[in-house]
Amino acid sequence: MASGDQKLAQDGAAAEAVIQDVVTDASILDIIAANLGLVAAFVAAMYLTAVICAIREVMNSRTSQGSVAWLLSLFFLPYLTVPLYFVFGWRSFSDYAKIQATLGRTERARRADELGLTDHDETRDWPVLSRVAGVPFLAGNKSELLIDGVATFAAIKQAISQAKSNIFFQFFAIHDDTLGREMADALIARAKEGVNVYFLYDDVGSHSLSHAFIERLKKAGVKVCGFNENHRFLKLLGPMRLNYRNHRKLVVTDYQHAFVGGHNVADQYVGRDKWFGHWRDTHVQVEGPAAVACALSFVEDWLWASGERIDLPQVADIPMPGDESVLVMPTGPADKLEECAIAFVEAAAQAKRRLWITTPYLVPSLDVQTALCSAAMRGVDVRILLPEKRDHWTVWLASHAYEDTLVQRGIKVYRYTEGFLHQKVLLMDDDLVSIGTVNLDNRSFQINFELTLWFTHERMIRNVEKMLEADFQGARLTWPDAFQSRSYLFQVLAQGARLLSPIL
C-alpha cells in the first residue's frame, strides 16, 4: 500500500514538472508575442548584417575555398557566423595603410637613394624582396648574430643603458616575471635620466601583463601602449581586430642600434622554465641605416596604436659603421597582397643548392608547400627544423600532418630534441639569410604584423650556417612512415587540426 502511495506521489510530481515546463514555455511564448517587433527587428538586422558580410567577402576574397565556406555559413547559420566573421573574416586595415602613406613610406626608397644608403647591386639582384619591402637593401650596416636568450637580453640591456635620446621597445609577449621586471628596471632607469622611452606590447600576447607592471612604467615617465588599445574587440565603429596581432619583437636605441628576432620577454626565453628547459632562439643586432628603417616600422605601429606621432629627427648624414647590406621588411594585414608569403616563396624559387628553415610552427599555405616541394624535386637540399616539444596543442598537431605531406615529397624534416626551438631563420644557398619574427604558418603570412631582416653578406651567412649545423646535430630526422606509425586517433586529431590552418 505504501509503495502504491509512493508511486502516486512520484507520478504527481512528474505531472507537476510537466505542467511547470508547459507554463514556462507559455511564458516564453508570451514574452516573444509581446515583443514581436523587437524580435523581428533583431532577425532582420542579423540577416542584413549577414548580407553585408557576404558582399564584403565576395569583394575582398583571397581564396575561393575560404570565401565559399564563409558564404555558406553566413546563409545557413547567420546567428553564429556573423560574430565569428567580424573576428576572423573582416580584414580591414585601411587606417593603417593611411598611416603608412602619411609617414611617407612610398618616399623611403627615394630618400635612401638621396642619402647614399642604397646598395644598388643587392637591390638589383633581389628585386622581388626589395619590392615587397618597399625599400632597397641598405648598405653600410654592422650586424651581430645573437644565439639564445642570455646573449640577446644582455646585448639589449647594454644598448638600453647607453641610450641617450630614444628607446623603442616592442614585443608580442611580455610577462611580469623576473626577466620582465629586469627589462622594466632598465627602461625606467633611462626614463628617469630624460631618455624618451616608448613601450609597445600586443594585447593578446601580453594578456597576463599586470596593471601594476604597466602603472610602474607610466609613473616613471615611460610611454606605454597596447597595440589594440584604440581598436578594441568590441569597438562599434570599425572591424573587430582580436584575430590580428602585432607579432614583432623589436628594440631600437637612438636610431642607431636595432634588435630583431624570435625572443619575447619572459623567463622561459632564457631557459628558466622547467617544462621547456633550454629555449633555442635567435635574435640579431644591427647598427647603421637598417636600424633607422626598423625605427620607422615602430613609428608606424605607435601612431596606429596610440594616435601619437613621433617626430623623427631630420638628418642629412646617417652613420654607416659596417660593410653589410640589410633589407628591412615589415609585413602585415595592411599589405595589399600576401607579401610576406611572396618573399619566402621567392627564396624557395631561387634556391639552387640548399634551403634550410627553422620555425616553431609548420602550418604552410598551399603556395608555400608547392614552392618547398618544387625546390626539393629539383634537387635542392630542403630542410625544416621544428621543435619536438609542444607549446600549443592545436598547432603542434597540425604540424605533424603537414610534416607528413612534405616528407613524402623529399623534404627533410627534423625535430629539435635539446629543449624547445622557437627561432625563425632561413638560409638559402650561400646567398641569403633571413632572421625575424615570421613563423612558417598562415598567421604570420596573412594575419599578423611581422618583421624580417634579410642579409646577403658572407660573414652573416657563414655564422648562420655554423649555427644551423649545430642545431641539426641536436635534432632527429623524421622518417617517411613516422606519421603512419602513430595511433589512428593521433592521425585523426592531426588532420582535424590541419583544417583549422587558416587561423592557427
Side-chain angles (χ1 to χ4, degrees), residues 311-322:
D311 292 327
L312 299 172
Q314 298 298 316
V315 296
D317 184 26
I318 295 177
M320 303 175 71

Side-chain angles (χ1 to χ4, degrees), residues 132-150:
V132 166
V135 293
F137 274 83
L138 300 175
N141 297 281
K142 178 182 178 182
S143 65
E144 180 182 355
L145 190 64
L146 300 171
I147 300 175
D148 291 334
V150 173

Side-chain angles (χ1 to χ4, degrees), residues 163-167 190-197 221 254:
K164 295 178 175 60
S165 59
N166 289 280
I167 298 173
R190 300 313 298 148
K192 289 182 177 179
E193 293 295 325
V195 176
N196 295 312
V197 181
D254 296 339

Side-chain angles (χ1 to χ4, degrees), residues 55-308:
I55 293 173
R56 192 181 187 286
E57 181 61 30
V58 170
M59 297 304 295
N60 295 277
S61 173
R62 284 196 170 189
T63 64
S64 58
Q65 299 94 326
S67 293
V68 168
W70 276 121
L71 294 174
L72 289 174
S73 298
L74 287 166
F75 181 79
F76 289 107
L77 297 169
Y79 304 103
L80 175 63
T81 307
V82 166
L84 291 175
Y85 186 82
F86 274 105
V87 177
F88 298 108
W90 193 293
R91 182 182 181 277
S92 176
F93 281 86
S94 57
D95 50 355
Y96 192 94
K98 289 178 182 177
I99 283 174
Q100 292 175 330
T102 300
L103 295 178
R105 177 175 277 210
T106 57
E107 296 296 314
R108 290 176 189 169
R110 179 186 60 79
R111 181 62 175 155
D113 206 35
E114 290 177 352
L115 293 173
L117 306 176
T118 302
D119 187 323
H120 293 282
D121 291 338
E122 297 295 350
T123 302
R124 182 194 63 241
D125 292 343
W126 301 99
V128 174
L129 299 184
S130 298
R131 290 187 180 183
V132 166
V135 293
F137 274 83
L138 300 175
N141 297 281
K142 178 182 178 182
S143 65
E144 180 182 355
L145 190 64
L146 300 171
I147 300 175
D148 291 334
V150 173
T152 296
F153 289 104
I156 290 175
K157 288 178 186 177
Q158 181 178 3
I160 288 174
S161 68
Q162 297 173 351
K164 295 178 175 60
S165 59
N166 289 280
I167 298 173
F168 299 150
F169 190 90
Q170 174 183 15
F171 285 89
F172 171 68
I174 302 172
H175 291 189
D176 186 358
D177 56 15
T178 302
L179 180 62
R181 290 187 287 273
E182 288 174 2
M183 300 310 299
D185 290 342
L187 295 172
I188 288 171
R190 300 313 298 148
K192 289 182 177 179
E193 293 295 325
V195 176
N196 295 312
V197 181
Y198 298 84
F199 184 98
L200 181 62
Y201 63 93
D202 183 83
D203 308 73
V204 176
S206 302
H207 66 276
S208 63
L209 196 59
S210 69
H211 179 73
F213 185 98
I214 294 174
E215 284 303 308
R216 180 168 171 256
L217 288 167
K218 289 182 177 180
K219 287 180 180 179
V222 177
K223 297 181 180 180
V224 181
C225 188
F227 187 65
N228 281 306
E229 193 166 300
N230 294 321
H231 308 273
R232 295 190 181 279
F233 172 53
L234 292 177
K235 185 178 178 182
L236 296 178
L237 299 177
M240 302 177 188
R241 304 213 174 130
L242 178 68
N243 193 40
Y244 298 93
R245 303 162 194 171
N246 196 311
H247 196 242
R248 293 169 183 158
K249 296 97 173 170
L250 170 66
V251 177
V252 183
T253 61
D254 296 339
Y255 300 99
Q256 295 179 4
H257 301 268
F259 301 82
V260 177
H263 289 93
N264 286 298
V265 182
D267 282 345
Q268 65 202 54
Y269 289 83
V270 288
R272 296 173 184 165
D273 187 280
K274 292 183 179 179
W275 160 253
F276 291 112
H278 172 59
W279 188 279
R280 179 68 193 90
D281 218 328
T282 300
H283 241 67
V284 65
Q285 177 181 359
V286 294
E287 180 182 355
V292 178
C294 289
L296 293 174
S297 170
F298 180 91
V299 168
E300 290 177 351
D301 284 351
W302 184 263
L303 178 55
W304 188 80
S306 70
E308 177 189 2

